[in-house]
Amino acid sequence: MKPRVFVSRFIPDAGLSLLEKKVSLKVWEGDRPPGKEDLLREAALSDGMIVIPGDPVDREVLAAGHSLKVISSYAVGYDSIDVKAATELGILVTNTPDVLTEATADLAFGLLLAAARRIAEGDRLVRSGGWNQWGPRFMLGKDVSGATLGIVGMGRIGHAVGRRARAFGMEIVYSSRRRDETAEKELGARFLELEALLLVSDFVSLHCPLTPATMGLIGERQLRSMKADSILINTSRGAVVSEEALVRALKEKWIAGAALDVFESEPLPGGHPFMQLDNVVLCPHLGSATIRTRDRMAVLAAENLLAAIEGRIPAHVVNPEVLSRN
Ligand code: DGY
């Protein structure tokens, strides 16, 4: 009998066609995302699952999967999967790094430019019919060239953002769990502790994963320490920033602006205070959303899953401890 695999959304065909050849496939077709009950039911029936960010793959769901061998994250982030529980239960967790690095860095840099040069605000003004002048002091933004970019988390995406920043003539400082010689040599990036980075940066771009250590990393104290004309960009995970503090920072002008692709709760609930503010650019979690990138993620997520089910070592394993136990 073919192994059974559950995929929690229609991922691109490039991935589904790989799976179809080898497994009995169930793709979630509901018009709302699968909830906890759905995942519990599917886990109990499946040998492997492909899930997306935000699917609540907690201990209970994992424990329901008596023949579950692998949870393949269709994302580089895996913060909604209880990796500790998966490891204890001998279930592999895999993810899709590398293939989405450039697309996500493009989006982060696009958001930086949009916030610096007030592109989204300008678009709203033109559409509303409120554009009535070209004036020497009209809608002035912030220079990018010559500005200092603080990169928080110098991983793959942090590097890729750094390369773009160099091309735009920016100075780069970074904070990360450890010093990064390549970033220092190739990007001229200077290592600083987070507190110091926030003090000197004109733009701060977040590229750290969401972990217990980074939850609420940017809160009131950090926002108050940033320059008054600085801009915060977040393409990592919403909960890395305290949204409540950020709303106050934007309203009370502790910082000049923000550009966000990720939120504590997604989709962003209607009437959220961010929606009333002109100095924040809002994007609906589009970091990896290009056709080619999503195809590559689908292939990688499918290949990771198939490798685990067939007893091979997947290319990207989050909890290798499980491998050494088998
Ligand atoms: C990821 O891969 O973690 C992204 O958030 C998806 O775009």
Side-chain angles (χ1 to χ4, degrees):
M1 224 173 56
K2 282 182 174 178
R4 183 188 192 272
V5 167
F6 173 71
V7 185
S8 79
R9 297 302 187 285
F10 269 101
I11 62 171
D13 284 341
L16 290 180
S17 57
L18 283 180
L19 295 169
E20 269 157 5
K21 288 181 204 140
K22 303 205 167 173
V23 302
S24 152
L25 192 58
K26 160 95 188 276
V27 182
W28 178 254
E29 290 187 27
D31 44 14
R32 54 169 178 85
K36 175 84 179 280
E37 290 306 312
D38 307 305
L39 292 176
L40 277 169
R41 194 182 52 249
E42 296 301 338
L45 299 170
S46 302
D47 299 282
M49 294 169 86
I50 295 186
V51 297
I52 69 153
D55 285 344
V57 185
D58 60 13
R59 181 177 288 273
E60 221 187 319
V61 168
L62 292 162
H66 300 294
S67 48
L68 200 55
K69 293 188 185 61
V70 55
I71 299 288
S72 168
S73 166
Y74 179 74
V76 66
Y78 45 84
D79 43 278
S80 56
I81 302 170
D82 186 339
V83 177
K84 185 166 175 281
T87 307
E88 283 166 19
L89 293 161
I91 300 170
L92 279 175
V93 178
T94 64
N95 67 342
T96 61
D98 295 330
V99 293
L100 48 68
T101 298
E102 301 300 331
T104 308
D106 283 344
L107 191 91
F109 214 79
L111 286 176
L112 182 153
L113 292 171
R117 300 304 307 277
R118 306 173 65 177
I119 294 172
E121 206 185 327
D123 179 87
R124 285 194 295 275
L125 184 75
V126 175
R127 286 172 198 277
S128 72
W131 179 30
N132 54 16
Q133 60 163 321
W134 184 102
R137 299 200 289 187
F138 174 62
M139 282 203 77
L140 305 186
K142 189 172 166 60
D143 280 302
V144 170
S145 163
T148 297
L149 171 64
I151 296 179
V152 179
M154 191 51 99
R156 297 173 178 89
I157 299 173
H159 269 261
V161 170
R163 288 197 297 277
R164 285 154 179 76
R166 281 306 272 182
F168 274 74
M170 301 182 87
E171 296 297 321
I172 302 167
V173 294
Y174 75 102
S175 73
S176 219
R177 273 176 304 175
R178 58 187 79 85
R179 296 278 293 257
D180 185 315
E181 267 182 42
T182 316
E184 293 182 14
K185 263 197 216 128
E186 291 177 4
L187 305 173
R190 198 155 51 88
F191 178 83
L192 291 176
E193 295 299 337
L194 179 63
E195 291 71 24
L197 176 145
L198 295 173
L199 289 177
V200 302
S201 297
D202 300 300
F203 297 88
V204 174
S205 192
L206 305 178
H207 299 289
C208 48
L210 177 63
T211 65
T214 63
M215 174 94 64
L217 184 72
I218 306 295
E220 172 166 352
R221 191 163 57 81
Q222 290 71 24
L223 289 161
R224 282 193 187 274
S225 74
M226 289 170 66
K227 292 184 182 183
D229 64 348
S230 66
I231 289 174
L232 178 73
I233 299 112
N234 190 7
T235 52
S236 63
R237 284 292 182 265
V240 173
V241 179
S242 155
E243 276 183 6
E244 192 242 312
L246 181 57
V247 166
R248 285 176 48 222
L250 293 167
K251 272 191 188 155
E252 296 170 19
K253 306 284 161 60
W254 312 342
I255 64 174
L260 310 171
D261 187 43
V262 287
F263 303 90
E264 280 175 4
S265 172
E266 294 181 10
L268 191 63
H272 191 286
F274 284 146
M275 295 177 188
Q276 314 307 320
L277 297 170
D278 245 349
N279 56 347
V280 57
V281 179
L282 304 172
C283 207
H285 203 146
L286 296 181
S288 61
T290 72
I291 293 168
R292 190 181 64 178
T293 298
R294 288 285 166 87
D295 276 353
R296 288 179 171 175
M297 288 165 67
V299 169
L300 188 49
E303 284 175 351
N304 280 337
L305 180 135
L306 289 173
I309 282 186
E310 291 167 358
R312 292 176 287 111
I313 298 180
H316 298 287
V317 179
V318 170
N319 55 352
E321 309 89 290
V322 173
L323 292 170
S324 53
R325 257 194 260 143
N326 294 334

